Structure formats: structure tokens, C-alpha cells
């Protein structure tokens, strides 16, 4: 284990050109550079596919909305300290940068009549939201003011909550394994003393019982005072390189918003019923997720979300055409590939190692002549030259499998 400041994601983010924090843009408003954006794009696509395959439907909704929407949701009443002040366009037209996606997703549910046959209805979005964090607590990607949240809301019947929570816990496990997230523990976040919670005691007790039942047999700690203002939640915690704990994944139970938005569906009995709303995030915000992933992998991401997966190194000018041709084939196969032809071979290998590129393909005169490629793995291991198609298939196979290792395990 290196010194914590050696694996600070802010330092690695600079060295690897992943993101930049420019004071002119504002504190807590980092900009994702091409390498960071490529990695994030791969992760977003993966999460979207995982959600789609598990019955989620994706929507797009705007990151701001009318003041009345957030009065109705309870955010302006219970959460205003964490929000940017409303923007006033005219006396009766004020807009709010949203602090959460749930109000918009409640409107998705309400967009037309709903039947019990549609439940559980899973509405997902990777969407923008804003928190007015004090500038003193901001740093890199771990605390930001503009948040890109992997979010979803399940609307279901009360008797479907247990199965839905179990399903979500399974998805979280799958996503953590692919990304290389190592959870530090599970937390049941409960209501604390004070006035900052909506709903009555019976609602809270019922919600806590449901989450406790979902966690039966698992190790977890209880954390009074850590609940959302509208309900208790299961939080999955991580610890960063400096030893700070935070939440990466969450499942929250909410009886309040369906009341506030007067959500209902038609049951099998033909009458109106109130759904339960589950808020859940599999991997949290892209910002906090990457702050963590950069540190836990020390910048050496699994190949499937590495910004550049393969760098081709022609030994000299004689292999330039062969390298360009192979790069085209690799790109056609869906890989993120570059050709690096400038400077000594040793310097280029060192540069690719500094950038944590998972695969290097060295092309000498003999490899170019007989269509072969000598692969070197991140970490220095060199494989025997193999047909170029086989090398691309090997890399493509590891990427498609979202493997965390660079070689197949068999
Ligand atoms: Zn929500």
C-alpha cells in the first residue's frame, strides 16, 4: 500500500488527464477531459445495459424545474439548506436547480393511468442534479456541486418491496464486481431525533421492518440520523485511500412522495391503490464513483473502461502502414486504440506504462511481415507474438466480459 497522498484521486486525475478543476468554472464543478470522459462513457453504457436487462426503462428529464414542483416534493421544506437558491424570472415564475430526480420520476408515473400489471415499474435515468456544498468541503470528484447520478425509482405494490430490494442488492453486487468496487460494509440508515423527517411513526416503522427483513442474514450496522428525510435506507459504504467513509450504493424506501404526488394505480380489484416508491442507486454518482475507482485501481482501470485499451508501437517507420491498418481493425472491433510512433521504443513503452494502458502491441519488421503482434500487458508481462486477429480477439473478449483481469482465467 502506497502513502495515501500518493494515491489521491486528484493527483492521479491530473497525471492521467482524467479531469480538471478550473477556478474560473467554479469550485466543485470539475470538467471531464477526453480520457476521463471515455472511461465514464464505458461505465455509463455498462450500467444502462445492466438496468435495461433487469427491466428498467430509461427516461430523460431536465435538471431544473418550477419552484412548485419542489414545494410539493418536500425538498424546499426539508432540504433547502442543501439547494441553490431559486432563480426568479418573474413574480410568478421561479425555477430551482433540482437536488434529486425523484420529483420528475413521480411525474413520469403520473403521466397516465397505471395498472397493477405494470408493477414493479422501474424508471431509470443517469441525470444531473445540484447541491450547494460549502466551498471548504469540495475536492476533486469526491464532493461536487453538479452531480451526475445513476438513479432509478421503482413504483411497486407494498407486497413487492421485499423481492424488489433483493433484486436491487443482486444488481449492486454484479456492478461492484465488474467495476472493482470493494464495499466496506452495509448500513441501515434510520431516522434520528429532530424535526427534519416527513411521515408518521407507523410509516417509518413499517419501512424499517421491510428493510430489516431484506437484510436478514447479512452483516450490517444501524446508523440513527442517517436516513433520508422521507424514509429509511440501506447504504453500501466504501472507504477511500485517506480512510474516509462514504456511501456508494443506496436503496431507500418512501411512502411519502406517492402521497404528496397522489400517485395511484388500478388494482386487480378495479379500485385505486397507492404504490410504494423505492429510490435506488447501483453505483452512486459518476463523480464519487470515479473518485473511488481512480484510487482503488491507482489509475489502472480494468481494460473495459480504460480510456485507451491498446497502444500500437511500430518499432520503426517500416511498420507504420501495418500499424495504421491494425488500428483501423481494432477500432472497427470497438476498441479504443492509439498508434504511438514518436521517439524511442523504450520511451514509448514507459509512456504507455505511465498512462496505465492495459495492452501494448509491439510491431517489428517480422511481425508486420507475417501479420502477427507481440502483446505486452500492463505491469510488463510480454506474450509470445500471435496472429494479430487473435490478439484483437483476446482483448475484445476481456472487454466484452467486463473482466477485471487482462487475460482469460483458463
Ligand atoms: Zn429519488
Amino acid at each position: 500500500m502506497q502513502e495515501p497522498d500518493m494515491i489521491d484521486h486528484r493527483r492521479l486525475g491530473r497525471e492521467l488527464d482524467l479531469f480538471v478543476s478550473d477556478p474560473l468554472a467554479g469550485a466543485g464543478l470539475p470538467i471531464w477531459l477526453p480520457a476521463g470522459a471515455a472511461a465514464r462513457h464505458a461505465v455509463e453504457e455498462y450500467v444502462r445495459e445492466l438496468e435495461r436487462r433487469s427491466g428498467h426503462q430509461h427516461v430523460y428529464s431536465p435538471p431544473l424545474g418550477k419552484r412548485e414542483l419542489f414545494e410539493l416534493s418536500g425538498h424546499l421544506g426539508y432540504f433547502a439548506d442543501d439547494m441553490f437558491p431559486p432563480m426568479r424570472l418573474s413574480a410568478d415564475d421561479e425555477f430551482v436547480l433540482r437536488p434529486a430526480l425523484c420529483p420528475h420520476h413521480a411525474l413520469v408515473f403520473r403521466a397516465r393511468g397505471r395498472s397493477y400489471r405494470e408493477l414493479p415499474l422501474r424508471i431509470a435515468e443517469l441525470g444531473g442534479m445540484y447541491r450547494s456544498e460549502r466551498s471548504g468541503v469540495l475536492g476533486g470528484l469526491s464532493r461536487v456541486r453538479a452531480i451526475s447520478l445513476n438513479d432509478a425509482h421503482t413504483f411497486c405494490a407494498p407486497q413487492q418491496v421485499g423481492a424488489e430490494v433483493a433484486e436491487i442488492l443482486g444488481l449492486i453486487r454484479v456492478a461492484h464486481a465488474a467495476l472493482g468496487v470493494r464495499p466496506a460494509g452495509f448500513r441501515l440508515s434510520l431516522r434520528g431525533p429532530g424535526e427534519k423527517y416527513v411521515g408518521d411513526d407507523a410509516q417509518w416503522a413499517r419501512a424499517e421492518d421491510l428493510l430489516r427483513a431484506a437484510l436478514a442474514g447479512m452483516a450490517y450496522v444501524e446508523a440513527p440520523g442517517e436516513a433520508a428525510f422521507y424514509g429509511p435506507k440501506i447504504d453500501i459504504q466504501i472507504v477511500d485511500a485517506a480512510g474516509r467513509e462514504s456511501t456508494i450504493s443506496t436503496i431507500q424506501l418512501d411512502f411519502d412522495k406517492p402521497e404528496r404526488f397522489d400517485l395511484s394505480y388500478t388494482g386487480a380489484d378495479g379500485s385505486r391503490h397507492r404504490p410504494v416508491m423505492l429510490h435506488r442507486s447501483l453505483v452512486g454518482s459518476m463523480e464519487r464513483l470515479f473518485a473511488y475507482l481512480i484510487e482503488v485501481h491507482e489509475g489502472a482501470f480494468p481494460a473495459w473502461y480504460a480510456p485507451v485499451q491498446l497502444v500500437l508501437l511500430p518499432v520503426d517507420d517500416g511498420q507504420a502502414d501495418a500499424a495504421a491498418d491494425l488500428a483501423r481493425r481494432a477500432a472497427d472491433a470497438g476498441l479504443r486504440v492509439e498508434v504511438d510512433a514518436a521517439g524511442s521504443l523504450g520511451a514509448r513503452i514507459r509512456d504507455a506504462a505511465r498512462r496505465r494502458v492495459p495492452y501494448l502491441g509491439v510491431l517489428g519488421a517480422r511481425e508486420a511481415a507475417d501479420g502477427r503482434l507481440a502483446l505486452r500487458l500492463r505491469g510488463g508481462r510480454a506474450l509470445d507474438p500471435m496472429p494479430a486477429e487473435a490478439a484483437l480477439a483476446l482483448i475484445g473478449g476481456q472487454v466484452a466480459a467486463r473482466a477485471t483481469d487482462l487475460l482469460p482465467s483458463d
Side-chain angles (χ1 to χ4, degrees):
M1 187 87 169
Q2 296 192 36
E3 291 296 309
D5 64 322
M6 296 299 287
I7 48 177
D8 181 339
H9 80 274
R10 288 166 296 189
R11 185 186 62 78
L12 285 164
R14 252 191 321 275
E15 279 181 22
L16 300 172
D17 274 335
L18 298 173
F19 66 92
V20 66
S21 299
D22 190 314
L24 187 57
L29 297 166
I31 300 164
W32 296 69
L33 298 173
R40 173 175 157 178
H41 190 94
V43 168
E44 288 187 5
E45 281 197 328
Y46 163 71
V47 171
R48 214 170 271 131
E49 183 190 318
L50 184 67
E51 289 173 339
R52 189 178 49 74
R53 280 194 281 154
S54 60
H56 289 72
Q57 305 179 65
H58 290 97
V59 297
Y60 290 111
S61 59
L64 77 172
K66 278 185 72 95
R67 176 189 186 103
E68 289 79 356
L69 175 61
F70 300 93
E71 280 169 352
L72 179 61
S73 70
H75 284 95
L76 279 170
Y78 291 87
F79 204 68
D81 291 349
D82 295 292
M83 296 168 63
F84 283 94
M87 292 170 280
R88 187 168 196 178
L89 297 191
S90 66
D92 55 359
D93 221 9
E94 281 190 70
F95 288 86
V96 168
L97 284 174
R98 67 178 171 191
L101 278 66
C102 358
H104 282 100
H105 289 188
L107 298 183
V108 170
F109 185 89
R110 222 169 72 161
R112 62 170 170 78
R114 300 289 178 183
S115 153
Y116 72 95
R117 291 191 195 84
E118 294 178 80
L119 307 185
L121 185 74
R122 306 178 181 97
I123 299 300
E125 180 174 5
L126 203 146
M129 58 183 223
Y130 299 85
R131 298 273 165 98
S132 70
E133 302 273 9
R134 287 171 296 106
S135 54
V137 303
L138 301 170
L141 294 176
S142 48
R143 279 295 268 280
V144 295
R145 288 169 161 158
I147 298 163
S148 315
L149 186 66
N150 157 244
D151 202 8
H153 297 92
T154 298
F155 302 88
C156 61
Q159 65 273 19
Q160 292 174 320
V161 167
E164 191 64 15
V165 171
E167 169 92 17
I168 295 166
L169 285 172
L171 289 176
I172 289 172
R173 258 179 231 114
V174 170
H176 284 181
L179 289 161
V181 173
R182 297 160 205 156
F186 285 67
R187 191 174 80 178
L188 179 59
S189 296
L190 302 169
R191 193 165 54 148
E195 299 285 299
K196 57 175 183 160
Y197 303 100
V198 300
D200 58 37
D201 289 347
Q203 257 183 13
W204 279 84
R206 189 166 148 229
E208 284 178 22
D209 286 347
L210 282 166
L211 291 186
R212 245 184 257 281
L215 285 169
M218 296 166 62
Y220 66 92
V221 297
E222 297 194 0
E226 296 290 341
F229 72 82
Y230 46 75
K233 54 195 180 111
I234 296 172
D235 290 323
I236 300 174
Q237 303 298 100
I238 47 169
V239 175
D240 73 8
R244 288 178 298 244
E245 186 178 320
S246 60
T247 299
I248 192 154
S249 311
T250 187
I251 307 174
Q252 312 178 359
L253 198 44
D254 185 358
F255 293 109
D256 183 62
K257 269 183 212 65
E259 295 279 345
R260 288 171 178 268
F261 283 86
D262 192 25
L263 305 183
S264 69
Y265 61 93
T266 306
D269 57 1
S271 61
R272 272 164 48 106
H273 296 265
R274 186 79 73 207
V276 179
M277 194 167 171
L278 282 172
H279 310 243
R280 71 102 187 109
S281 182
L282 301 181
V283 295
S285 72
M286 289 299 113
E287 290 79 15
R288 183 177 286 174
L289 174 64
F290 268 91
Y292 173 80
L293 293 177
I294 291 166
E295 293 184 358
V296 81
H297 296 299
E298 296 181 35
F301 298 137
W304 68 268
Y305 64 93
V308 174
Q309 295 161 324
L310 171 64
V311 169
L312 293 171
L313 303 171
V315 172
D316 61 45
D317 288 349
Q319 296 89 50
D321 288 347
D325 177 60
L326 190 54
R328 253 190 313 275
R329 281 150 59 198
D332 284 346
L335 297 179
R336 294 184 290 277
V337 58
E338 283 179 9
V339 176
D340 183 2
S344 76
L345 184 62
R348 285 180 277 153
I349 290 175
R350 282 194 298 279
D351 187 56
R354 182 192 62 76
R355 296 167 62 203
R356 283 36 166 206
V357 176
Y359 300 98
L360 300 186
V362 180
L363 270 169
R366 208 164 55 199
E367 286 86 18
D370 53 10
R372 296 169 85 80
L373 190 63
L375 280 185
R376 291 173 66 102
L377 308 184
R378 181 172 56 203
R381 181 173 166 195
L383 307 186
D384 292 334
M386 65 180 86
E389 287 307 321
L392 296 187
L394 184 158
I395 300 169
Q398 294 304 98
V399 168
R402 268 96 180 199
T404 46
D405 294 328
L406 298 183
L407 289 177
S409 47
D410 55 357

